[in-house]
């Protein structure tokens, strides 16, 4: 019974803690050698997690090493996922707050391009930087 259960047990959406615990229980009931159980454990492990562990150097050799690496990398993945969710929430809040605040350029009135830089009157001739040669406010 335990052997059949082991052959159809997959991690799926389970966290590695639960998957490893399930396999330890089945291992105790099945009376199989470690190599056989390791084969079924790897087969039921999520593909991303399995790839992560097999890309390590050195690759875990024992069932216990596989358990430990699966637990470690699964926790690491869940922590990264929580941090990404937190980061995205803070970005959304920051965007909402930015929309609420009036922009700095809207708060401070600025002179138009066609106004004198010194007295803010319309220049007499075209688009000069000051209103006339004798602008009262223009520094000498």
């Amino acid at each position: 019974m335990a052997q059949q259960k082991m052959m159809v047990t997959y991690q799926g959406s389970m966290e590695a803690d639960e998957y490893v615990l399930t396999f330890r229980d089945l291992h105790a009931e099945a009376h199989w050698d470690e190599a056989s159980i390791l084969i079924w454990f790897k087969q039921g492990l999520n593909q991303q997690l399995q790839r992560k562990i097999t890309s390590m150097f050195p690759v875990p050799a024992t069932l216990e090493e596989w358990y430990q690496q699966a637990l470690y990398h699964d926790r690491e993945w869940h922590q990264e996922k929580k941090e990404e969710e937190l980061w995205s929430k803070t970005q959304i809040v920051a965007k909402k707050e930015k929309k609420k605040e009036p922009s700095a350029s809207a708060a401070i009135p600025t002179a138009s391009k066609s106004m004198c830089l010194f007295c803010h009157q319309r220049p007499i001739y075209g688009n000069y930087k000051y209103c006339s040669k004798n602008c009262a406010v223009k520094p000498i």
Side-chain angles (χ1 to χ4, degrees):
M1 177 74 173
Q3 291 127 345
Q4 290 173 343
K5 233 181 184 181
M6 195 177 295
M7 290 180 202
V8 295
T9 302
Y10 292 93
Q11 184 180 0
S13 61
M14 259 190 263
E15 288 190 16
D17 295 340
E18 188 178 346
Y19 182 65
V20 167
L21 187 61
T22 301
F23 248 83
R24 284 188 172 158
D25 291 343
L26 292 171
H27 181 200
E29 293 174 32
H31 306 295
W32 276 0
D33 62 308
E34 189 175 304
S36 301
I37 293 172
L38 180 56
I39 290 168
W40 290 109
F41 177 77
K42 286 195 254 183
Q43 222 171 25
L45 202 59
N46 283 342
Q47 286 184 348
Q48 294 91 345
L49 192 53
Q50 187 179 6
R51 275 190 240 129
K52 183 101 172 176
I53 296 169
T54 54
S55 67
M56 294 174 49
F57 183 79
V59 177
T62 65
L63 183 60
E64 190 58 37
E65 288 173 355
W66 270 88
Y67 287 161
Q68 294 306 316
Q69 290 303 318
L71 293 170
Y72 172 77
H73 289 293
D74 191 61
R75 285 184 193 129
E76 189 178 65
W77 180 79
H78 282 287
Q79 182 63 34
E80 287 173 8
K81 190 174 172 185
K82 285 178 187 175
E83 289 172 5
E84 285 174 6
E85 288 173 5
L86 181 63
W87 175 253
S88 66
K89 285 178 185 176
T90 57
Q91 293 301 309
I92 291 169
V93 169
K95 284 180 183 177
K96 285 181 182 177
E97 287 177 2
K98 189 175 182 179
K99 286 180 183 177
K100 289 179 186 177
E101 293 177 10
S103 67
S105 62
I108 302 170
T110 56
S112 152
K113 288 182 182 178
S114 63
M115 301 300 229
C116 176
L117 293 175
F118 305 107
C119 68
H120 304 291
Q121 292 182 10
R122 189 173 285 274
I124 297 171
Y125 305 106
N127 287 332
Y128 292 103
K129 293 182 181 178
Y130 46 91
C131 62
S132 70
K133 208 182 227 186
N134 301 325
C135 178
V137 187
K138 182 179 138 186
I140 300 173

